[in-house]
Every structure is written in structure tokens, then in C-alpha cells.
Amino acid sequence: MIEKIRLWLSAELNSRILSDPPFSSYAEAAEQFLRELQNAPLPQGVLDQVKEQVSAALLTIMELRLRKIVWELGQARVPSRVTAEEDRLIRPLVKIRQAGPQRKRAQEYVVVQFLVDHPTIVTEDFVQVGPFTRGDLAKLPLRDAKDLEERGVARRFLGA
């Protein structure tokens, strides 16, 4: 059980998007953890430390996921792969957004030419592109293009 929570935390830390939660809700995770802990033949001091560490891990997972959810809502997207508690939190916000005037955010894209080989990247609009070899052209969001340009990986392609 602790390993399952550790893997969930690792998945959230290593991804810009929400990972698949291994539990349908945080309540389910807590109940399962407490059930398993009741049968553990550990001294009370160790049990208290384990509870504290798991609680801290779950709070970190919640914070990371809420940041990602808020970002997605700000991008006018409905987050998927949410827990029951997260769904209850965002459902009213999604309804308000759907009831209001629909605006489409225009994303500015530019063409870049890669100056060096580069592995796959995930753009700011969560599109996976690449890998790239020297000389490849790609159409990327302006912010991603600027980042690659600043790092000397690519330059904006002006064309003919």
C-alpha cells in the first residue's frame, strides 16, 4: 500500500499532466491504508511515523494535482483522470464555464529549425513531439520555441 502511494507521488512529480490515480478517491486510499495498518505488528512509535509519512505524501499528491487542475481550468480544458473529491471540487466551475460565452484562446505557433539532435518534448499545450535530428523543422507554441532558442537547441525558422 505504501509503495502504491509512493508510485503515485512519483508519477505526479514526473509529469506535467494528471496521472491516473490508483484509487477512485483520497478517502478510499486512507481507508485502505488504515485497514492494512491495523494488522501490522509494529510498535506504536513506528506506526505513528508511518502514518505521518503517508499523510505527508498524500498532501503532496493533492497539492500537485490541484495545481495541475487549476492550470487546465485556466486553459479552458476540463481535467480528466480526477478523483471523486477533485471531481466534486471542479464540477461547479466547469458548469459555470460551459454556461458562459465560449472563447477560444488563440495560440501563436512558430516554425523552428533544430540546431542539434533533441529528444521528444511535451509542448505547453501538452502535445508530445519529436524526437528531432539536426535540421528538422517543427511547428511549436511560441513560448516553447523561445525556450529552445534561448538554450541554443533551435532557432525560429524564417522560411523563404
Side-chain angles (χ1 to χ4, degrees), residues 25-44:
S25 71
Y26 293 102
E28 176 192 341
E31 288 169 9
Q32 186 177 341
F33 170 71
L34 290 173
R35 256 194 324 273
E36 289 183 15
L37 206 56
Q38 283 178 338
N39 301 327
L42 298 170
Q44 188 60 46

Side-chain angles (χ1 to χ4, degrees), residues 113-121 129-137 148 151-154:
Q113 182 175 24
F114 281 82
L115 304 173
V116 296
D117 292 352
H118 196 274
T120 300
I121 61 172
V129 292
F132 302 98
T133 57
R134 185 175 184 258
D136 282 351
L137 299 176
L148 291 171
R151 294 188 292 136
V153 173

Side-chain angles (χ1 to χ4, degrees), residues 66 69-70 73 78-80 82 85-95:
L66 288 173
I69 288 168
V70 168
L73 290 170
V78 178
S80 60
V82 296
E85 295 90 351
E86 293 162 348
D87 183 56
R88 282 191 298 274
L89 177 69
I90 65 173
R91 196 176 317 134
L93 299 171
V94 171
K95 283 184 180 181

Side-chain angles (χ1 to χ4, degrees), residues 110-155:
V110 295
V111 176
V112 297
Q113 182 175 24
F114 281 82
L115 304 173
V116 296
D117 292 352
H118 196 274
T120 300
I121 61 172
V122 178
T123 64
E124 73 169 7
D125 51 359
F126 297 109
V127 175
Q128 185 173 333
V129 292
F132 302 98
T133 57
R134 185 175 184 258
D136 282 351
L137 299 176
K139 186 177 179 182
L140 300 173
L142 180 59
R143 188 181 316 170
D144 291 311
K146 284 181 178 178
D147 178 54
L148 291 171
E149 197 170 39
E150 287 171 4
R151 294 188 292 136
V153 173
R155 68 178 163 89

Side-chain angles (χ1 to χ4, degrees), residues 8-9 12 18 25-27 54-70 83 85-86 89:
W8 188 14
L9 175 59
E12 293 301 341
L18 292 169
S25 71
Y26 293 102
V54 168
S55 176
L58 286 172
L59 285 171
T60 302
I61 290 168
M62 289 172 73
E63 179 181 358
L64 290 167
R65 290 180 60 84
L66 288 173
R67 287 176 189 264
K68 293 174 186 181
I69 288 168
V70 168
T83 65
E85 295 90 351
E86 293 162 348
L89 177 69

